[in-house]
Each structure stands twice: as structure tokens, then as C-alpha cells.
Amino acid sequence: MAVLETWPFWAPSEADAVEAALDLAGVGPGDRFVDLGCGDGQVVLAAARRGALASGIEADPDLVDEARSHLTAAGVEADLRVGDLLDPALPLDADVYFTYLAPATLQRLHPRLAGQRGARLVTVDFAVPGLTPTRRSGPARLYLLPGRRRRPAAVGWSTAGTLVAAVPDHHSLGCFDLVHPGGDSGALLTGSIAAAASIVSGADHLDGPAELAVDLRWEPMALDTIASGAIAIDGVDDHEMFVIWTDDDEGMWELTPQSVEAIRRGLRRRNPPTTLADLLDLTVV
């Protein structure tokens, strides 16, 4: 298992969602705009067309090359850089930040942005853990930095476990969250899922009770592979995980303690479950 601070996981944003997010952030002429994880440059291009001083940062050099080609073809100049968003040596200074990043990476990134009081951060699909958006519009959320913190719920996981259906032919992403009591908060995987996924937690240490995001990137596996194990984090109970790589569906199902035990027993049977439907049948107890 690879335990990483972050990893490239890019997917294109829908054009309508991008424009709605830029509207929400009020992006206009003269705004210093940075797309954090700019991918193929489409968001940078959209911001530049509004008159913003647009730029982008991306970890994947091939995507940066592709983004530069798109901008050149459109006759637009923008500063595109290869860089790790979590690198403290990477300067960040803007009026507006755009991200389509997973929650754990957003949580790790937030301390770098929080000092830029009054700057606007707009995210698509994913929220910044522990913060309440200033405004929302569809899948977009706007935060006026440093952001308004919300009171965490009860410490621990909200469920005993999760059943995951992952796709067999490419990487897929699973996002989880809990309330940590404070202290060391790095996460690792146990059991057979440790060889099938990479994990990122939103922080290595928390000063007190706080929301903690945990992201998993599932590796492509053979069809109908089943793996089990847990997310282990100091200070809270392990979160049990069961994963099947299937063409039937893609999603996650919350599990009660009774369902966790039923799946465990089922996997120990002489004729264990082999399909997603079999595993779901075991959750009805």
C-alpha cells in the first residue's frame, strides 16, 4: 500500500458547472485567478475569457502541456506551472481560487490559503471539511477565506463500515469523513484492501475535535475481485471496508455493525459471496 500526501486524480469539469462556479465567485476583469489542479486548462481559459488574470497549477506535466496547447489555440496567454499544491515553497497569491479537488486534499490545502483573508475559494462537487460555505449554487461552493468553521458532530465514524462497488478498468475515488477527537490523525489501510488502494487523510495531526476527510483511490482490479479490511486511525474505532470490483454498479453503501458481521461471516463460508448482489443480500439482517 502506498500512503501519500496527495496524488494526481484528474477529471474534466463540465462546462456549465465551470461557468456556474465562476459566476458564484464573481470572476471578472482584473481578478487574479488561480486554478489549483488545472488539468487540461479549460477553467483557466474560461476565466481568461472573462478578463481575469488567469493562471493554473498542475502536478501532471503532460496535462500542463495539453493545457498550454488549448490556450495557444484559443489565442489566450496564461501562466501555467507544474507544481505540488502542498509544497510550501510554491507561492500562492490570488483574488480567486478554483478547485476540483477531493476533500482530503482540500483539507490539507486550506491552511495554505486561510491566511489570504478576503480571497474567494470556489470548489466544485466537494466541500472543504469543517467549513460552512458562504454561498452555494448547484455543485459549486464559495468560501470567503479564511472560511467559517462549523461545530463538529459527535466524535467517531457515522457508520460501522462501508460496502464499496469499484470499477475494474480504471482508478476510482472514494471519499469518507469522520470526527476525530484530536491528536495524531494519519490514516492507513489494513487487510487485503491495503494492496488495492492508496489513502490520503486530511491532516496528520489535529489540535482538537474536528472533521477529518479520508480519500481512497482504488486501483483497477480483476472483475469480481473482493477485498476487505479497514481504515485505521488513532483515536477512533476502525472503519470496516468491503470492496468488490464489478460492472454491475458503482457506489457505496453504509453498514451497521450487524451488516459488517454478516458480511464477515459470509466471506468465511465454504461458498462465499461472489457478486455485488450477494454482498447486498448479506446486509439485510
Side-chain angles (χ1 to χ4, degrees), residues 8-247:
F9 194 95
W10 175 77
S13 301
E14 295 292 335
D16 289 348
V18 169
E19 293 299 335
L22 298 183
D23 286 343
L24 183 64
V27 176
D31 277 331
R32 296 172 302 150
F33 176 93
V34 179
D35 183 358
L36 301 171
C38 65
D40 65 354
Q42 297 300 330
V43 177
V44 175
L45 178 57
R49 284 173 169 162
R50 291 172 174 237
L53 305 175
S55 62
I57 303 168
E58 170 59 48
D60 186 334
D62 291 337
L63 283 174
V64 171
D65 288 342
E66 183 178 349
R68 286 172 176 155
S69 296
H70 289 153
L71 291 167
T72 298
V76 171
E77 292 186 4
D79 176 23
L80 300 178
R81 288 171 284 165
V82 178
D84 180 350
L85 297 176
L86 301 181
D87 181 356
L90 182 70
L92 295 176
D93 185 20
D95 301 309
V96 183
Y97 295 97
F98 176 97
T99 78
Y100 186 17
L101 299 172
T105 303
L106 283 172
Q107 186 168 10
R108 285 184 174 267
L109 183 61
H110 175 253
R112 294 209 62 209
L113 302 177
Q116 300 186 45
R117 186 171 297 273
R120 291 160 275 166
L121 169 65
V122 61
T123 70
V124 175
D125 283 349
F126 300 112
V128 181
L131 298 186
T132 298
T134 303
R135 292 196 300 276
R136 291 190 61 174
S137 177
R141 295 170 173 85
L142 174 68
Y143 302 87
L144 296 183
L145 294 173
R148 188 176 69 215
R149 294 197 174 274
R150 60 172 174 260
R151 185 185 298 275
V155 167
W157 297 92
S158 61
T159 63
T162 304
L163 170 62
V164 177
V167 293
D169 55 352
H170 59 79
H171 287 105
S172 54
L173 181 66
C175 302
F176 304 84
D177 61 85
L178 69 150
V179 176
H180 193 273
D184 291 343
S185 53
L188 58 83
L189 297 175
T190 66
S192 57
I193 63 170
S198 301
I199 186 168
V200 177
S201 70
D204 295 320
H205 184 90
L206 295 166
D207 293 334
E211 294 180 28
L212 179 69
V214 181
D215 298 337
L216 273 65
R217 183 178 68 172
W218 302 107
E219 298 294 328
M221 303 290 281
L223 188 66
D224 296 329
T225 297
I226 295 177
S228 62
I231 301 173
I233 302 174
D234 288 340
V236 295
D237 293 337
D238 289 358
H239 186 76
E240 300 293 330
M241 302 283 298
F242 305 95
V243 189
I244 181 169
W245 282 260
T246 176
D247 284 335

